[in-house]
Amino acid sequence: MSKNNKYYLNNPKKLSVPSLRDELHKKLAKTQFIEEVTNDQIEVKEGGNGAKLKKVSIEKLNYSDDKSKVDRIWKINLEKEIFGISAKNKTPECAILVLQKYEIENKISYKLNILLIELKSSISNKDLRPIGEKFQCAMSRIYMLLVLNNHLNSIQGYNESEIYIDFKGILFYQNFSDKSKFTEKNNEKLYWQIHDILRTPGKSHLLTCQTILRDQDKINIKCFCEQDEEIRISLESLLSK
């Protein structure tokens, strides 16, 4: 079919799919579900009652190296309650989308780093499987949100460049109590993967989980064990392997 053909949904306004996409972008921005980051730091807060780890501040957002630089950053407030979109009880605090621009030998490409941020004051064995489920649930939701974006649009300035996607799960916590017995039989693999990841904080580990796209999807998980109520960390530390 010709690229000039228009596709209409069955609604009174006869909106085209691109128009509907633009309208949804504006509505999501208005609800502050998705926000472009324009200041010099990102704050992620733990809103649970009795939380001892209250806030993480991500700083030095203008990160660059000899091959790339940060082009744009968005924050998706995954816990924001929006009817039909939210999954508050099974989601990390937020997702940070970092678009890196690479220029090597006059060739330009992009990588979209998707950082799923989870804050937990105290972790016990019963929390391990739910933590893994939060990451896999968020991956499926991000997949669906990404198809709303039209990066081939010339106005965006990407000149139809390829944009590669890289998921990372970031877990901040104060302590892990590995004492209670594990009795849950369902999804035992997910439990033990998170268990092993928590044993070596500061290092990246590959988590295999089920998403809407794949039964054996992959995401790198990196843990940071800190005792402070408020943590400050650079964007480079989150992006690094």
Side-chain angles (χ1 to χ4, degrees):
M1 292 185 178
S2 170
K3 291 183 179 179
N4 294 323
N5 286 347
K6 293 183 179 180
Y7 299 85
Y8 296 102
L9 299 181
N10 185 21
N11 65 72
K13 294 184 178 180
K14 298 287 187 182
L15 289 173
S16 67
V17 171
S19 297
L20 187 61
R21 179 193 296 120
D22 292 341
E23 185 175 342
L24 184 55
H25 281 185
K26 292 175 183 177
K27 291 294 184 181
L28 290 175
K30 189 174 182 180
T31 61
Q32 298 182 323
F33 181 67
I34 301 177
E35 304 173 283
E36 182 162 8
V37 177
T38 56
N39 50 14
D40 56 0
Q41 73 172 19
I42 301 170
E43 291 188 349
V44 184
K45 297 181 180 180
E46 168 60 88
N49 294 329
K52 295 181 180 179
L53 174 55
K54 299 185 182 299
K55 183 173 70 174
V56 170
S57 296
I58 304 170
E59 303 177 333
K60 300 179 181 178
L61 303 184
N62 59 342
Y63 167 68
S64 64
D65 54 29
D66 57 346
K67 295 181 180 179
S68 70
K69 66 176 182 179
V70 171
D71 192 57
R72 298 174 73 181
I73 301 176
W74 298 266
K75 180 182 179 184
I76 303 179
N77 298 301
L78 294 171
E79 289 191 320
K80 190 84 174 179
E81 293 193 40
I82 302 175
F83 181 75
I85 294 178
S86 298
K88 187 173 181 180
N89 294 327
K90 273 195 176 182
T91 183
E93 265 68 35
C94 70
I96 308 296
L97 276 59
V98 182
L99 184 66
Q100 281 182 288
K101 181 178 181 180
Y102 288 79
E103 189 168 359
I104 302 174
E105 297 179 353
N106 296 322
K107 291 186 65 177
I108 295 176
S109 61
Y110 294 87
K111 180 167 77 168
L112 185 63
N113 302 276
I114 302 173
L115 309 176
L116 305 177
I117 312 292
E118 170 71 359
L119 274 60
K120 294 285 288 185
S121 297
S122 180
I123 299 175
S124 66
N125 284 22
K126 67 179 182 179
D127 299 314
L128 301 187
R129 185 167 58 86
I131 288 173
E133 289 176 342
K134 284 185 177 184
F135 286 128
Q136 69 179 8
C137 179
M139 288 177 71
S140 291
R141 295 174 67 202
I142 296 296
Y143 281 140
M144 289 186 285
L145 289 171
L146 286 177
V147 300
L148 294 174
N149 186 41
N150 182 16
H151 76 275
L152 299 180
N153 189 327
S154 59
I155 296 176
Q156 299 293 334
Y158 301 130
N159 300 318
E160 299 192 7
S161 300
E162 192 70 47
I163 299 180
Y164 299 94
I165 297 171
D166 185 21
F167 276 99
K168 288 184 174 69
I170 309 294
L171 174 60
F172 293 95
Y173 67 100
Q174 288 186 327
N175 62 80
F176 170 40
S177 177
D178 187 15
K179 293 181 180 179
S180 58
K181 292 183 179 180
F182 172 65
T183 59
E184 179 63 61
K185 298 300 181 183
N186 296 325
N187 219 342
E188 189 171 341
K189 181 179 179 182
L190 193 60
Y191 169 94
W192 286 113
Q193 285 184 95
I194 298 295
H195 184 277
D196 291 343
I197 289 169
L198 284 166
R199 293 178 65 184
T200 52
K203 295 183 179 180
S204 290
H205 297 267
L206 197 63
L207 176 71
T208 302
C209 59
Q210 182 179 7
T211 67
I212 194 170
L213 290 186
R214 304 175 185 90
D215 290 335
Q216 299 288 310
D217 215 331
K218 310 285 185 182
I219 179 173
N220 280 300
I221 306 292
K222 193 172 185 180
C223 298
F224 294 90
C225 182
E226 304 285 348
Q227 301 305 310
D228 297 333
E229 287 188 355
E230 298 186 6
I231 299 171
R232 294 182 178 273
I233 193 166
S234 68
L235 179 60
E236 181 181 2
S237 298
L238 303 186
L239 295 176
S240 63
K241 296 182 179 179

